Amino acid sequence: MKREIITTADGSKTIQIKEWNEQYHSKHGAIQEAYHVFIHSGLHLFKNCDLNILEIGFGTGLNALITLMEAEHQNLSIDYTGVEAYPVSKEEIGQLNYLKELNALSFTKMFNEMHASPWEELIPISPKFNLKKQQKDFKDIKDIAQYDLVYFDAFGARVQPELWTVDIFEIMLKAIKKGGYLVTYAAKGSVRRAMLEVGFLVERLPGPPGKREMLRAKKP
């Protein structure tokens, strides 16, 4: 499928899949969405601790980059696992402008290392942040009670409904530690019901720009 780089409403770029009319990040603001959904509604629940994070849809690495930056500010030591079935190309990464838009040019070397690092190996990106990238389908995740927080950033249910099912959220529930969280930009009723069916406690939160609501789920 044809992919092209587009500029979102906050000036940050993302990748659009033309045939689906679907973007890797919100067209209303890629960076704004990442901060609102995954940082403010997820990562900021944790302070001064060691943390294991799973990202469903590593994609452009934007969420990982911002999490790395926040680790320094929030005194967190993070092991970050990013699962991606179809990795973004080096050429596409080179066209993104996150470091400039975030005023984070000092993180350029670390951002490049994230994308250049080998798959299936835990790589130290900074003293506070270790990264393991895994290339596989989300349904093949087998981890049990390993993660404190999941960033669920798969393509939307409109184009890939199979990623938002009871079966997938059962895998997520098993992978999360007791008391851990899953955050996602999605707010569809069918997604919320699937989360509830497998045993998550689910709350609706105000959404990022362009969305009225989002969901946060907790493992009891």
Side-chain angles (χ1 to χ4, degrees):
M1 290 183 287
K2 185 177 180 181
R3 291 141 58 117
E4 68 177 14
I5 305 297
I6 66 169
T7 302
T8 68
D10 66 3
S12 56
K13 296 184 182 295
T14 192
I15 300 171
Q16 182 180 58
I17 298 179
K18 298 273 291 182
E19 287 89 339
W20 286 352
N21 189 28
E22 183 80 357
Q23 294 75 229
Y24 276 62
H25 308 285
S26 171
K27 64 184 180 182
H28 298 283
I31 287 175
Q32 288 181 359
E33 178 192 46
Y35 268 108
H36 183 99
V37 175
F38 302 111
I39 305 304
H40 300 318
S41 302
L43 188 66
H44 284 177
L45 296 170
F46 302 88
K47 305 289 183 184
N48 305 315
C49 64
D50 296 337
L51 194 60
N52 284 282
I53 296 176
L54 171 65
E55 181 178 13
I56 299 300
F58 183 76
T60 65
L62 173 59
N63 296 332
L65 171 63
I66 295 175
T67 301
L68 165 64
M69 295 168 61
E70 287 290 311
E72 305 295 329
H73 300 143
Q74 301 294 327
N75 192 28
L76 298 168
S77 294
I78 296 175
D79 282 353
Y80 193 103
T81 300
V83 177
E84 177 61 57
Y86 304 100
V88 173
S89 71
K90 181 179 179 181
E91 292 72 25
E92 288 169 322
I93 294 301
Q95 297 179 65
L96 301 174
N97 64 347
Y98 301 142
L99 294 160
K100 176 178 177 290
E101 291 297 316
L102 288 163
N103 295 314
L105 294 179
S106 62
F107 287 84
T108 299
K109 182 174 182 288
M110 287 179 275
F111 184 63
N112 291 337
E113 286 177 351
M114 285 181 178
H115 287 286
S117 65
W119 295 79
E120 308 302 335
E121 294 183 29
L122 187 65
I123 304 297
I125 304 297
S126 82
K128 293 280 190 181
F129 189 94
N130 299 314
L131 172 67
K132 178 187 281 189
K133 298 184 300 184
Q134 297 181 331
Q135 187 175 357
K136 60 185 179 183
D137 289 337
F138 306 150
K139 62 180 176 57
D140 295 326
I141 295 170
K142 306 295 184 185
D143 302 315
I144 302 296
Q146 184 168 331
Y147 302 104
D148 303 283
L149 177 62
V150 171
Y151 295 167
F152 201 90
D153 200 17
F155 285 129
R158 176 180 62 85
V159 296
Q160 287 196 304
E162 69 276 10
L163 302 182
W164 302 85
T165 62
V166 167
D167 289 345
I168 292 294
F169 288 119
E170 184 70 45
I171 292 170
M172 295 298 101
L173 187 75
K174 290 177 180 178
I176 296 172
K177 299 175 184 178
K178 290 181 179 178
Y181 289 87
L182 179 152
V183 286
T184 182
Y185 65 88
K188 287 188 68 172
S190 60
V191 173
R192 179 176 176 271
R193 289 190 293 273
M195 291 177 174
L196 290 169
E197 184 170 336
V198 303
F200 277 114
L201 305 174
V202 185
E203 57 183 323
R204 298 184 187 274
L205 301 175
K211 285 188 66 69
R212 187 166 59 90
E213 294 180 325
M214 57 165 282
L215 297 176
R216 181 167 65 197
K218 182 177 182 180
K219 182 173 180 176

